[in-house]
Amino acid sequence: MASSHSSSPVPRPGSGGRDRFYHKDRDPSPPRCRPVRSLPDVCPKEPTAGEGRGLCDGPSVVAEHDRWTVYSSKVNLPAALNDPRLAKRESDFFTKTWGLDFAETEVMPSFYLPNITREHFGPYLQEMAQRERIHERCKTICPNKDDVDAVSSITTNHDKSRAELEQVPKIFMKPDFALEDPATFNTVLPWSHFNSAGGKSSRDVASSKLLQEKLSHYLDVVEVSIARQISLRSEAFFHAMSSQHELQDRLQETQRAVAILRGRTAAMDRVMCQGPLRALRTALTRNNCVKLHNKLKLMAAVHQTQPTVQLLLSTSEFVGALELIATTKEVLQQELQGIHSFRHLGSQLCELEKLIDKMMVEDFSMYARSDLNRSLREEPQVLEKERLESLVFGLLRQRKLDFLDIYSDEMILAAKTIVSQCVAESVLYIEEIDTEVVTKLADQMRLMTFPQWFELLKIVFETFILFLQRIKATLNVIRNVVLEVLDSNQKNRLLEEASLRPSGQESSRGSSFLQGEAELAYLTHEGLFISDALNEAQQQHVAVQDQTVTSASSSCSFGPLLSSDRFFGGFLEVLTQRLYSVEIINMMPTDLELNRVISSIQELLHVASDVSHDRCVKVLTARAKDGSLERLSSAEFVCLSQAVEGFVRDTEELCDRHSVSLRGALQSQANRFVHRFHEERKTKLSLLLDNERWKQAEVPAEFQDLVNSIADGRITLPERKTPGPDDRKPTEFLLVSGQKYAVVGTVLLLIRIFLEYCQCVNDIPSIATDMLTRLSDLLKHFNSRSCQLVLGAGALQVVGLKTITTKNLALASRCLQLVVHYIPIIRAHFETKLQPKQFSVLRHFDHITKDYNDHIAEISAKLVAIMDSLFEKVLSKYEVKAPMPSACFRNVCKQMAKMHEAIYELLPEEQTQMLFLRINTSYKMHLKRQLARLGVVNDGGPQHGLVVVDVAFYTENVQALKSLERLDLNMAEIWEQKR
């Protein structure tokens, strides 16, 4: 069904007459004038000059155009009512806002109608609830008669119409019904009933009439059914028509209100808005021109980026080039995004940045190679400090934190080259070595004499010290750069935190400012310049923040590099103002990464120390391959040890690194040296003992001075003096702490030998434990071998002595006593060279002292045993008879005098007295036994008198000997008591 605005009014049912029409009841109260809200025009048009409104040529929605009619509507009412896409009819159709989105626009809630909620109907529902329940209960009990009749009639009519519709063939009800289809046409019009010859017989006429009546009947059935359906829905049609008339009335009122509003608005536009809008438009045009000019300047600056980067790279200013690239990329992404002429510049800058990365790595590698391979005595220590700082800054900025590995590799190669150069320079001055025949460095070093090789080693040590000093100076520059970047990051973080604290208030003020600007733009330009107004307000707000960022960036370490005129021309002022944005600053490594780089720098210095020690170990092991270092003299090895220890101390002080490789190699050579040192001296001592005739030797002044130096508390080996005319003559005894020691030549050399051991420990403290063990072995060897030769009478066969005399025994005892005297001194000296945890090895001296004392006691017992056998032999023939003194006692006194003469000058007085007391005890025991055998008792008889005379003769002769005057012989114990 179609409808239009020209439809006639609908008669009101139930009225008094047929000519009365329904009119909408109006409120008797005076009408309230609603303020008409301005809506944005759907299709604003430019005002024309013919209208005479005096408006400018710009677009305006306040000017009134052609009068609006119903034909200006974009959606007609029938189309909206018969929209097949709607599942059900919309109840709020006539309350929608007119416009392009008429059928879909949501209606704004009225400002003049209260918001009705369910609570407003609460009292009414409570009042009517009881009545409603009673009403529903009555309807259930007694249904309405009209409703029952209406339902029954509707049901009857529906069944009747349905039966009639079933008479219509189904083919007319098909959706694809089409008479142009031959099959459908033949089914509807069966021409087979007609004459095929084309004649007009009475039969054909009857058939056609019958067919026409049948189709007319079908049409009547369908029309009756349609009419019945229309009659059932007549209420809805009449309601729609009445609503349409009401809508038309409202539209007419709205049209009149809009016309009045447009008239007033046009007057306001002519009187008040034309001039201000023109001024505002001119100001905006000027601002747009300024923005365009700035944009063109920025584009010109960006266009000069690549030539400027090439200029910076030609002067190795990698940091400035990288900062310029980063700034240009940021400008391209933010302010120049979408410009067609710069579509390839971003990728070109990325490739250029990768190229700069490679250039920085290669340049740093070349710098490290040239710095480490130049002359070590060349000044200054750091080559091109500014270039190094620039490279390190650039590598850190690009997060190329593995550049220290490049320096480490170059450092190892340079360390290998140092040894080769030192050997080659040393060989040039040695005519005995033909470098064309002997090409290997190790072979050339082995052909050198020890002084030549030792001089080479000192040169290598000195060169490596200079090498480490240069590396340390370079690494200090790198560390200072890293610390500067770390300090800059921390300052920037503090400034950023300080700027973020008041940012909440500023953001609220900024948001309100932007909102006010947006509202102003919307009110003055009807939404046409909102984006421009917002951008302008935002830029004004960001200008304040840029000042804060610029002040924060002044503390950045790259400021001097990036703001210098020698890096950027005046045409890049726009880009340099953006170099310190947050994004660029954040490209630097984090504090954790920078701390790792600092740790790597310290580790690299340790690696340099280890590499230097390893190369020196190569020099040491190459020389020691044929065992030449083991055959060094003590003085030579001590010089070598002192040189190595000095180099190790210098490197530890320089690098703060305790390297063990060189010390370990020296310790290995020291162990071999100690073994050879000990074997040589042990062999020498064995040869001396095998040739020792155990006679008292003269003591040269050199050995006396040696002993005197030990008495001063310094166990050092004095330098040997060349013999001169004023030299002192040798002495018979060795004076030690005021005592005389009669010694053999072997013991004198033994003293010098163990002083050599102590001197080696002074020079090489690391071998103290090993040297102590070897010295204890040497002392044990001397003790055991001297025991075999003297007490064991081995000297009879080895040297060819006829017999071992008491003088030999006393001399051996005195030599052992001298060694025992020095054992505590040696122990105290080694104790100062050992660590507390190594004191357990000092127990060897306790065992040695005990062995020596036992040996001395055995010699004393041997002397007593010699006299004991003599007493037994002589006194067994003793007879108590005249003459007196008897020959037996004369022989005993003679042997006692010989014994005293043999040991008196060799042993000290106290030992001589103790020895003769023991001999006297043995004498009394044998005499007592002989007298008992002879039956002589203390009875005062003639035999007793004769024995008393002999004993008095013995006592007189013994006490007449030197140092035995006060010896208490007490001969009363020889007598048996009278029975």
Side-chain angles (χ1 to χ4, degrees), residues 33 37 56 127 166 180 217 352 369 487 547 550 646 690 777 806 821 840 892 977:
C33 296
R37 297 176 60 196
C56 59
E127 182 181 353
E166 288 179 355
E180 59 268 18
H217 175 70
L352 189 58
R369 190 179 304 112
D487 183 62
Q547 296 178 359
T550 305
D690 291 342
D777 179 67
T806 55
H821 171 77
S840 59
V892 169
Q977 297 298 328

Side-chain angles (χ1 to χ4, degrees), residues 164-174 177 187-188 214-215 217-218:
E164 291 176 352
L165 285 175
E166 288 179 355
Q167 297 176 3
V168 180
K170 300 300 182 182
I171 191 172
F172 294 104
M173 304 299 178
K174 289 184 178 181
F177 178 80
T187 305
V188 174
K214 184 184 297 184
L215 293 176
H217 175 70
Y218 293 158

